[in-house]
Amino acid sequence: MPNRTIAPPIKDAVDFELVLPRCDHHVLSNGVEVYALNMGSEDTLQINWVFYAGAWYEKKKALAAATNFLMKNGTSGRTAFEINEHFDYYGAYVNRSCYSETSEVTLHCLNKHVHALIPVIAEMFTDATFLEEELAIYKQNSLQRLKVNLQKSEFVAGRLIDSYLFGEKHPYGKYNNAEDYEALTREDLVGFYEEYYRKGRMVIFAAGKLPENMIAELEKYFGGLPVRKHRETVVGVQHKIEPATEKKYRIMNDPNGVQAAIRLLRPFPNRHHPDFQKAQVLNNVLGGFFGSRLMGNIREDKGYTYGIYSYLLNFIHESGWMITTEAGRDVAEETVKEIYNEMELLREEEIDEEELMMTRNFIIGTVLGDLDGPFQVIGRWKNMILNGVDEAYFYQSLQVVRSITAKELQELANTYLQPDDFYELVVI
Amino acid sequence: MIQFEKFTLPNGLRVIVHEDHTTPMAVVNIMYDVGARDEDPNKTGFAHLFEHLMFGGSINIEDYETPLQMAGGENNAYTSNDLTNYYVQLPAENVETAFWLESDRMLSLAFDEKSLEVQRKVVSEEFKEHYINKPYGDVWFKLREMAYKVHPYRWLTIGKELSHIENATLADVKAFFAEHYNPSNAIMVVGGNIKTAQVRELTEKWFGDIPSGKKWERHTPEEPVQTAPRREIVYADVPLDAIYKVYHMDNRLSHGYYVADLITEVMGGGGSSRLFQSLVKEKKLFSNIECYHFGTVDKGLLTIEGKLVKGVKMEDAEAAIEEELEKLKREGISEKELTKVKNKTESAIAFEDMSVMTRCNNLAFYELLGDASLFNSDREKYFSVTVEDVLNYSRKYFDVNNSCTLCYYSKQ
């Protein structure tokens, strides 16, 4: 019978050699870059087309997201139904998503069908029609979804907290109201599409078991388009951050609500700042995983919540440090207090070696697990490339995890985990 | 084809090994053959409560998470009406840590009042977060009660009511553990960068001396065939009217299951599906409409769920759904449409199979159904479905006497 009180020996995850598989880099005739990762044994692949066509560039709210969504709903040669049926017939998934800076179209398919699918994607980028009727349905459905969401305290809290930090006019802080959807016109969409897609800036990421002529195929359909390479510096659109002066908010959204959505957020520089990678480690200690302080105290010790997390926002220009949870209504204020207590502990005491080691191992283990599979690996590359950092940044961040000291973490806590710097919001 | 090997310990623990040397990771997946369907109707939510308690430390190991995180591992679990699944992923070199942790909690938990007290509260918050504080959060409480009269699928895994969890005692919890969490009721799948011989050795070392326990004998009552339509009307503080229609379908192992699964794709699978195209895009009656089922082991519910466009009458919306169902029953589907939904299914399976974790989880599930090798024949079962099957089964399922309808009106 084994002695169960003694843990089996482990190899510290920090000692694992982590290698980020290399990506092939190609440039199409028009300068558009393609990052291709040929990896994996399954017969599946993923291609991401990324445009600089996020909310950052829109002059009217909700425009970037509407354009991204409706690009798939009809071209001059195919109706929305025909496009959907074409992708569905080959068992392919085409998703669109719109973020603050960028907007994407992603294709997932079996590699045996990719040749039938790429031409239709190209059609979406060059020949979308944006019919009035499709826009009308989109508006109506967005309005209805908004109505349902506004009943959820977490949704309301999520939009308000960002607006306090960045200001309601900033792309990171603005949010859509009913009148914003209502004000969208077909001309707005066509104009945005022309400028930011047809003549926009594009970069392509492909991963999986790629067919041999993949690059030639991408060249054929995308290399001749009037799009530009994504690194091209145009006179950048600038947005000014206008933070709120008031820091603390309490909002009653649903008088019968049984839970409170709690958000704390402070400004934080972007990932080029020397503290960014170090702060990621401190963030893990605070609330980045199940073994974190916030989870241990507020969920596992007090049972106030089902989950509590902290994270650094993933924006290109600026970041923020966010803490988020949904807690019982009657313990909401107590929860806020406990969050500050955890910050205080991190400021006042160095964390012990065991906890630091556990955090290091957890982070490295997660990275190791994340590098498993082509889609995860290309995801890392995409994130690095869009944020303007290179491979060295990846290895440097691992080095930070391995070498950061308890003293450095305490100093960071004193710099960044000061209650006065946080916007604080409770929505019931 | 997914390769695997299988052996059973003398105490009844079934072990499946799936080697994959392309990854540096290992997965240890333990599926317990216990779900909400095995609960006492007066003490519901226990299987799920256990999912929480299982992370509160075991008999010899005070804290589950810390040593696992020390070994660079991650874990989680989920509970359904049919089963409970615990999974760990960690660097393959540290796989023994997972054996040590999982075997100890199978041996016994460190039951105490404090841990129970906290998890009772956490689960209550989960209940509130997902079912009380959300618009339409109570829909499935009502639908299940309407559709099932005797089968324990009539309650959700979170439990029938909050009070069952709030009143759970330490004695209840201990009894439930003794009944279900033992080698006879468990299936372990170890996958990733490991060797079968190594898995056998580690399994014998850590799980070999755990008493086998009693095999849980399931006497789930069979739900009688529904013979008349059931309807219910609700008024709630939600912004939009909604309609839910559910139809009893076949169990997981029958041919009809595969037909039903493809039918949900035909009716509600994405942008080119019939309900979406006809009722959202052409007739503009719904802002959203879906068709799905939960993949349950016993007979499940094929569901159509839609949110009405403001101003549309419930009767008109319902009639339009009925019309699509009638059309399917009258004309069936074309070979091309069938090929489309089969292609979609083939692709979905291929994407699922990309991760070692999902493969291990699926192997465990098919073993729970009776035999892990069913995993490899699933694809063929979808491909064997014919247009005649779709026609026959849609006539059988979409019978008004087999339907439950919930009309959910907005009070606003």
Side-chain angles (χ1 to χ4, degrees):
Chain A
M1 190 173 184
N3 184 344
R4 295 179 176 277
T5 58
I6 301 170
I10 54 167
K11 178 168 175 181
D12 275 324
V14 293
D15 297 330
F16 284 106
E17 190 64 33
L18 281 182
V19 180
L20 182 66
R22 297 299 296 267
C23 237
D24 293 327
H25 179 242
H26 306 270
V27 182
L28 306 182
S29 322
N30 53 3
V32 166
E33 291 174 80
V34 178
Y35 293 87
L37 181 76
N38 197 358
M39 179 184 170
S41 50
E42 301 299 323
D43 299 328
T44 48
L45 63 83
Q46 168 193 303
I47 309 177
N48 265 116
W49 288 266
V50 179
F51 291 88
Y52 285 68
W56 190 270
Y57 301 95
E58 67 191 11
K59 294 194 178 62
K60 252 172 141 172
K61 285 203 279 182
L63 178 56
T67 310
N68 171 267
F69 187 86
L70 287 169
M71 208 164 44
K72 193 180 162 212
N73 288 28
T75 61
S76 59
R78 296 169 209 260
T79 63
F81 175 73
E82 284 162 350
I83 293 176
N84 285 329
E85 194 171 53
H86 185 80
F87 291 127
D88 285 348
Y89 183 80
Y90 292 103
Y93 302 89
V94 178
N95 299 317
R96 342 28 143 204
S97 24
C98 191
Y99 303 104
S100 293
E101 281 103 352
T102 57
S103 125
E104 297 182 10
V105 170
T106 308
L107 169 73
H108 285 100
C109 66
L110 296 180
N111 56 0
K112 64 182 174 186
H113 296 315
V114 71
H115 306 296
L117 302 166
I118 283 184
V120 186
I121 300 272
E123 217 174 294
M124 283 162 52
F125 295 160
T126 54
D127 190 27
T129 42
F130 301 101
L131 297 180
E132 291 283 4
E133 197 187 357
E134 292 290 338
L135 176 60
I137 295 173
Y138 174 80
K139 279 189 195 179
Q140 171 204 291
N141 294 350
S142 304
L143 285 168
Q144 293 212 355
R145 202 165 33 244
L146 179 67
K147 264 189 195 158
V148 175
N149 281 333
L150 285 173
Q151 284 207 314
K152 301 175 189 162
S153 57
E154 67 220 63
F155 178 82
V156 173
R159 15 198 275 157
L160 290 177
I161 192 76
D162 289 343
S163 75
Y164 301 153
L165 177 56
F166 297 109
E168 271 183 60
K169 289 183 188 142
H170 193 277
Y172 299 161
K174 66 185 173 185
Y175 52 82
N176 304 328
N177 290 316
E179 58 270 24
D180 300 318
Y181 291 111
E182 276 155 7
L184 290 176
T185 68
R186 178 174 182 270
E187 287 65 44
D188 295 331
L189 272 75
V190 170
F192 192 82
Y193 177 68
E194 186 65 24
E195 187 169 359
Y196 295 101
Y197 288 94
R198 282 176 51 129
K199 295 180 191 154
R201 290 190 282 152
M202 182 208 258
V203 53
I204 303 174
F205 300 91
K209 200 171 168 185
L210 303 174
E212 267 176 30
N213 62 346
M214 189 79 245
I215 300 303
E217 187 113 334
L218 292 173
E219 170 64 34
K220 180 175 166 196
Y221 288 99
F222 304 98
L225 303 185
V227 290
R228 291 164 293 142
K229 58 185 180 207
H230 81 288
R231 290 176 202 274
E232 186 169 303
T233 44
V234 281
V235 181
V237 186
Q238 296 301 323
H239 294 281
K240 201 165 150 251
I241 290 179
E242 294 175 77
T245 42
E246 176 61 43
K247 286 272 171 72
K248 290 187 193 310
Y249 298 85
R250 297 292 181 273
I251 288 174
M252 184 57 72
N253 189 56
D254 173 9
N256 301 317
V258 289
Q259 272 192 328
I262 299 171
R263 301 287 182 274
L264 273 71
L265 176 62
R266 61 151 294 145
F268 198 83
N270 73 13
R271 70 189 63 228
H272 298 280
H273 190 279
D275 282 346
F276 192 90
Q277 295 178 333
K278 294 179 189 166
Q280 292 281 17
V281 181
L282 180 61
N283 178 65
N284 268 287
V285 176
L286 175 66
F289 68 123
F290 200 84
S292 68
R293 299 266 179 111
L294 290 176
M295 207 59 142
N297 176 357
I298 295 166
R299 172 179 152 137
E300 289 300 291
D301 186 58
K302 305 212 166 52
Y304 291 166
T305 178
Y306 176 48
I308 180 162
Y309 306 93
S310 73
Y311 56 93
L312 295 176
L313 304 180
N314 190 25
F315 294 136
I316 294 177
H317 294 86
E318 308 279 337
S319 183
W321 199 332
M322 177 90 93
I323 293 153
T324 140
T325 184
E326 273 72 49
R329 178 181 182 151
D330 50 329
V331 291
E333 297 302 329
E334 193 56 27
T335 301
V336 173
K337 215 175 92 194
E338 287 300 330
I339 295 171
Y340 289 128
N341 283 346
E342 291 301 334
M343 290 184 191
E344 187 183 346
L345 275 173
L346 287 169
R347 291 194 309 269
E348 313 242 301
E349 294 170 21
E350 283 189 10
I351 83 167
D352 68 40
E353 216 20 69
E354 190 188 337
E355 187 181 1
L356 180 54
M357 198 60 195
M358 175 183 85
T359 307
R360 291 191 217 277
N361 282 343
F362 174 76
I363 298 174
I364 300 282
T366 307
V367 177
L368 190 68
D370 268 2
L371 293 181
D372 191 12
F375 301 168
Q376 285 81 353
V377 173
I378 199 77
R380 290 240 166 213
W381 276 103
K382 187 170 79 176
N383 198 25
M384 292 191 317
I385 287 156
L386 297 181
N387 278 290
V389 298
D390 58 15
E391 238 179 317
Y393 188 88
F394 171 79
Y395 291 106
Q396 193 191 329
S397 76
L398 295 178
Q399 195 45 39
V400 168
V401 175
R402 290 185 174 115
S403 62
I404 195 164
T405 63
K407 188 159 169 290
E408 282 177 281
L409 289 170
Q410 191 184 2
E411 283 165 9
L412 283 169
N414 275 290
T415 311
Y416 295 108
L417 299 181
Q418 295 289 352
D420 289 348
D421 296 335
F422 280 87
Y423 288 89
E424 179 192 306
L425 167 65
V426 178
V427 181
I428 292 174
Chain B
M1 286 288 277
I2 304 293
Q3 305 295 332
F4 64 89
E5 291 187 61
K6 194 169 136 181
F7 62 89
T8 305
L9 288 191
N11 62 13
L13 179 68
R14 284 171 279 171
V15 185
I16 292 166
V17 187
H18 167 57
E19 293 189 22
D20 175 354
H21 300 288
T22 65
T23 167
M25 307 300 283
V27 169
V28 175
N29 187 104
I30 298 194
M31 191 172 279
Y32 288 96
D33 191 358
V34 56
R37 66 175 162 170
D38 301 306
E39 292 161 353
D40 177 336
N42 299 312
K43 291 175 184 172
T44 63
F46 269 60
H48 172 254
L49 176 64
F50 251 89
E51 185 197 312
H52 284 252
L53 290 170
M54 290 283 267
F55 294 99
S58 52
I59 187 94
N60 298 297
I61 308 170
E62 192 186 333
D63 172 12
Y64 180 91
E65 300 286 340
T66 308
L68 181 63
Q69 283 153 4
M70 207 51 120
E74 275 188 280
N75 73 103
N76 213 331
Y78 57 82
T79 310
S80 74
N81 289 70
D82 295 315
L83 56 89
T84 310
N85 194 47
Y86 296 85
Y87 53 95
V88 178
Q89 175 175 277
L90 73 178
E93 279 152 293
N94 290 341
V95 71
E96 187 166 0
T97 301
F99 279 85
W100 169 61
L101 289 166
E102 291 298 334
S103 64
D104 202 54
R105 63 178 179 178
M106 192 183 290
L107 185 67
S108 182
L109 293 183
F111 295 103
D112 69 57
E113 282 292 352
K114 156 95 184 164
S115 164
L116 175 61
E117 183 54 34
V118 169
Q119 293 311 324
R120 263 201 301 245
K121 283 200 221 162
V122 171
V123 172
S124 297
E125 291 307 324
E126 185 181 359
F127 200 116
K128 293 177 198 165
E129 192 171 324
H130 293 151
Y131 304 99
I132 298 180
N133 220 20
K134 261 212 177 112
Y136 313 97
D138 59 348
V139 160
W140 277 100
F141 289 94
K142 296 181 188 305
L143 281 172
R144 283 177 178 271
E145 296 226 339
M146 214 194 308
Y148 294 107
K149 296 303 169 195
V150 303
H151 193 285
Y153 283 167
R154 70 183 186 276
W155 57 83
L156 286 165
T157 46
I158 192 82
K160 198 154 65 177
E161 46 195 84
L162 207 42
S163 67
H164 287 186
I165 292 303
E166 286 169 343
N167 299 332
T169 67
L170 206 51
D172 292 337
V173 162
K174 283 185 176 168
F176 197 80
F177 182 84
E179 204 140 49
H180 298 286
Y181 299 81
N182 60 50
S184 317
N185 291 316
I187 295 156
M188 176 161 75
V189 182
V190 185
N193 194 15
I194 39 85
K195 291 254 166 61
T196 305
Q198 169 200 8
V199 171
R200 189 184 285 274
E201 189 189 320
L202 288 172
T203 307
E204 281 163 4
K205 174 175 171 188
W206 291 104
F207 288 87
D209 63 6
I210 301 178
S212 74
K214 238 175 95 181
K215 173 100 184 121
W216 168 247
E217 284 186 35
R218 186 170 278 128
H219 300 289
T220 314
E222 177 143 15
E223 184 64 27
V225 174
Q226 188 181 327
T227 53
R230 297 171 187 164
R231 292 183 79 82
E232 215 177 292
I233 291 172
V234 173
Y235 292 88
D237 188 18
V238 293
L240 307 168
D241 293 348
I243 185 166
Y244 301 81
K245 291 183 86 70
V246 305
Y247 299 85
H248 295 272
M249 56 180 259
D250 288 348
N251 69 52
R252 184 63 183 78
L253 285 172
S254 64
H255 181 59
Y257 172 87
Y258 294 87
V259 187
D261 197 32
L262 292 179
I263 289 176
T264 60
E265 276 293 327
V266 170
M267 300 309 284
S272 76
S273 67
R274 289 184 172 205
L275 292 173
F276 183 80
Q277 177 59 19
S278 164
L279 308 187
V280 176
K281 298 298 290 288
E282 289 168 13
K283 296 186 180 150
K284 302 183 180 62
L285 297 169
F286 290 89
S287 61
N288 188 35
I289 191 156
E290 292 171 80
C291 182
Y292 58 89
H293 67 89
F294 295 112
T296 50
V297 173
D298 298 331
K299 288 179 181 174
L301 300 173
L302 200 160
T303 306
I304 295 169
E305 160 183 352
K307 293 217 168 62
L308 278 62
V309 166
K310 200 91 188 167
V312 169
K313 282 209 203 75
M314 187 69 81
E315 301 76 58
D316 296 343
E318 186 173 3
I321 293 175
E322 297 285 0
E323 202 181 310
E324 281 303 316
L325 297 179
E326 284 308 316
K327 191 174 158 217
L328 181 70
K329 286 158 71 175
R330 198 171 56 236
E331 299 164 17
I333 63 168
S334 66
E335 281 291 351
K336 188 181 171 200
E337 202 174 5
L338 184 61
T339 307
K340 177 182 86 174
V341 294
K342 284 181 181 175
N343 283 347
K344 285 189 80 172
T345 305
E346 181 190 20
S347 168
I349 293 173
F351 277 97
E352 246 195 29
D353 286 353
M354 286 184 73
S355 116
V356 185
M357 180 103 86
T358 322
R359 271 179 264 146
C360 290
N361 176 198
N362 279 331
L363 284 167
F365 177 64
Y366 287 97
E367 180 65 24
L368 182 110
L369 283 178
D371 184 356
S373 65
L374 291 168
F375 188 11
N376 284 323
S377 54
D378 225 29
R379 203 168 145 270
E380 293 317 310
K381 288 184 184 156
Y382 282 106
F383 272 89
S384 75
V385 173
T386 66
V387 291
E388 289 75 30
D389 288 337
V390 172
L391 186 65
N392 294 336
Y393 279 90
S394 56
R395 285 174 182 168
K396 183 179 151 198
Y397 296 126
F398 296 127
D399 173 357
V400 67
N401 292 323
N402 185 36
S403 74
C404 301
T405 307
L406 179 66
C407 298
Y408 205 96
Y409 287 99
S410 159
K411 268 196 301 197
Q412 291 175 1

